[in-house]
Amino acid sequence: MSRLPLQARWLFCLGLLYIQQPAGWARDIDEALTGKLYVHKVVQQRFFSHDNGSVELRAVLKGHADLPPWLHLYQPDSFSDGFLYGSPQSEDSNAKPIVIELTGVNRDSYATAKKKIRLRVLQQESQGTLLRKVEFLIINRGFAEILEPETLGDFLERVKQVWDKASQDLFASDIRQTQEGVVLTVASVAPHSTALQRVSTEEVYRPDNWCESDNMHGVGFVSINSTFAPNFIVDWCALALEQVNTSEPTAKTEPINSIIFESDPEFEPLSRFHLKRNYFWDIFVALVIPGIVLLLIIIVVSCIICGFREGQASRDKKTPRLQMTQYSNIRRASDSIRYASDHREGVPHLAPATSSSLQTKYDTLGSSAPPPYQPTNNNRLV
């Protein structure tokens, strides 16, 4: 059996790698053109197919904490689908596709699921030096409604009816949300039509300054309004026409907190090897200093308690002599009464008191001894 050629073996290995890609990895690569609006609908059911609960969508660029500056994620609420949208510029074009990581978080069960989108930004071929743009302010549709591919396509078809020369290359270039409504910008290399120019010229088509006095946004004065109404209510007073010279280089502005890609020659990632941290001063400040302060407090309190304590001799010296004499007499009298009470007849464990012991006790107290105790039947304890 002959061996397979080297090229065939390489193709076989590449096929295996393609088949064994991890779950959640999008094999198809989306393409976004510079200067053209990119919209990708993120469907919730692709994350949790058997759950129709509350799902919050999050998106980041792989290896970074946020999306590229030109790309945004919009989700009206946790029960609706989301949209990735944005208009890349020339400096955002890159032949190498970027990977967008999408995360769905179930607000009820806290389960998470991840998906990936591979996106390549391509440079749009310029068909002329002048690019004409028109801004429409749509006041009766929400931001998520305009981002729907069907709604956006329907609006572009209506624009082609009033801008007939742009029917071949008309495209949406930008979109943003304001308090008044949704501002959608369409562009083409074709010259502006006469109908659009008439609407945007105040001297010809806006007599008596009706935009300031009329509350209907000029709907009743514009003949081309019937092309858009009633599906799209356009504020004709906010209509803006613009011409952009694509041959002149535009000044590149660095956005705040912009993401730096690895392809940038000025990108200097942090080293993975870090010096071992010294925790000596942390331990010294956290343990040693509080320990020293606690030890000083214990020493001071011990000196106060033990060093300034008065003994019995010191208290006796401070007590007056008369008070000590009275105390001694009271103490001797109490001892005599207690002694006599302990030696009464009837206490089995004590020996009966004798006259000699009483005489000795009272001689010590300095008083005459009572007569000897003679127990009688009337004095016995009951």
Side-chain angles (χ1 to χ4, degrees):
M1 183 178 180
S2 61
R3 295 183 178 180
L4 292 175
L6 181 60
Q7 296 181 353
R9 282 183 287 176
W10 274 107
L11 292 175
F12 178 76
C13 294
L14 290 176
L16 289 179
L17 291 175
Y18 181 80
I19 294 174
Q20 295 178 359
Q21 284 181 348
W25 185 276
R27 297 189 178 97
D28 297 334
I29 300 178
D30 285 354
E31 292 184 353
L33 298 177
T34 58
K36 187 176 181 180
L37 180 64
Y38 168 78
V39 180
H40 180 90
K41 187 175 182 180
V42 183
V43 183
Q44 286 188 353
Q45 293 184 352
R46 295 183 180 178
F47 294 89
F48 304 99
S49 57
H50 302 289
D51 192 357
N52 296 326
S54 175
V55 178
E56 180 182 355
L57 300 177
R58 303 171 185 175
V60 296
L61 180 64
K62 183 179 180 181
H64 298 78
D66 203 353
L67 290 171
W70 65 270
L71 191 60
H72 311 278
L73 175 65
Y74 178 76
Q75 185 183 17
D77 53 73
S78 57
F79 295 93
S80 304
D81 297 333
F83 296 91
L84 277 173
Y85 73 96
S87 180
Q89 303 303 318
S90 300
E91 58 270 15
D92 300 321
S93 62
N94 193 354
K96 182 180 179 181
I98 59 176
V99 180
I100 306 299
E101 293 183 345
L102 297 171
T103 305
V105 181
N106 193 312
R107 302 289 295 275
D108 300 328
S109 62
Y110 297 99
T112 59
K114 291 186 177 182
K115 300 292 181 181
K116 295 180 181 180
I117 298 176
R118 301 178 67 187
L119 178 62
R120 180 187 289 114
V121 180
L122 301 178
Q123 185 72 29
Q124 186 178 10
E125 296 181 359
S126 178
Q127 299 179 0
T129 57
L130 287 179
L131 186 65
R132 282 83 174 184
K133 294 184 178 181
V134 182
E135 285 189 359
F136 293 92
L137 176 58
I138 307 172
I139 60 178
N140 69 325
R141 291 297 187 98
F143 194 65
E145 295 181 80
I146 302 298
L147 289 175
E148 288 284 352
E150 296 80 6
T151 307
L152 185 60
D154 184 18
F155 186 82
L156 292 178
E157 290 296 329
R158 296 172 187 268
V159 174
K160 291 178 182 180
Q161 297 180 21
V162 298
W163 193 0
D164 51 353
K165 296 181 180 180
S167 59
Q168 300 297 328
D169 59 347
L170 184 68
F171 61 91
S173 62
D174 193 14
I175 188 172
R176 67 181 187 273
Q177 186 177 18
T178 63
Q179 295 182 354
E180 293 80 10
V182 181
V183 178
L184 180 62
T185 304
V186 298
S188 174
V189 296
H192 294 126
S193 64
T194 306
L196 293 175
Q197 291 180 356
R198 292 181 61 189
V199 174
S200 62
T201 306
E202 289 187 355
E203 293 80 2
V204 177
Y205 208 71
R206 297 183 182 179
D208 300 330
N209 200 10
W210 47 262
C211 276
E212 296 182 1
S213 59
D214 183 42
N215 295 326
M216 298 300 293
H217 309 283
V219 172
F221 298 90
V222 179
S223 59
I224 62 175
N225 180 71
S226 59
T227 306
F228 297 88
N231 293 338
F232 301 98
I233 304 299
V234 180
D235 185 357
W236 298 107
C237 297
L239 185 71
L241 276 63
E242 182 185 3
Q243 291 185 1
V244 180
N245 191 352
T246 58
S247 61
E248 295 180 359
T250 57
K252 182 179 179 181
T253 58
E254 289 291 339
I256 300 176
N257 298 330
S258 61
I259 298 176
I260 302 177
F261 295 94
E262 288 77 355
S263 59
D264 192 345
E266 298 181 359
F267 178 69
E268 296 180 359
L270 297 176
S271 176
R272 296 184 180 180
F273 302 96
H274 303 281
L275 296 177
K276 187 177 180 180
R277 185 175 178 181
N278 187 6
Y279 294 94
F280 173 76
W281 291 109
D282 296 342
I283 297 176
F284 182 81
V285 173
L287 298 178
V288 177
I289 294 180
I292 293 175
V293 174
L294 181 61
L295 181 61
L296 291 176
I297 294 174
I298 293 175
I299 293 174
V300 172
V301 173
S302 301
C303 293
I304 293 174
I305 295 176
C306 300
F308 295 91
R309 183 176 179 273
E310 293 183 353
Q312 184 176 0
S314 177
R315 293 196 299 271
D316 292 344
K317 290 180 180 180
K318 295 180 180 180
T319 305
R321 184 66 181 174
L322 180 61
Q323 184 178 353
M324 292 295 296
T325 303
Q326 293 176 355
Y327 173 76
S328 298
N329 294 333
I330 295 173
R331 182 68 180 273
R332 285 195 298 268
S334 299
D335 291 342
S336 300
I337 295 173
R338 189 178 295 109
Y339 182 81
S341 176
D342 292 343
H343 291 76
R344 288 185 301 176
E345 186 180 359
V347 181
H349 63 278
L350 295 177
T354 59
S355 59
S356 60
S357 60
L358 292 175
Q359 184 66 35
T360 304
K361 182 67 177 176
Y362 281 93
D363 289 343
T364 305
L365 296 176
S367 60
S368 59
Y373 178 75
Q374 298 294 332
T376 60
N377 292 333
N378 296 329
N379 295 331
R380 294 182 178 275
L381 295 175
V382 179

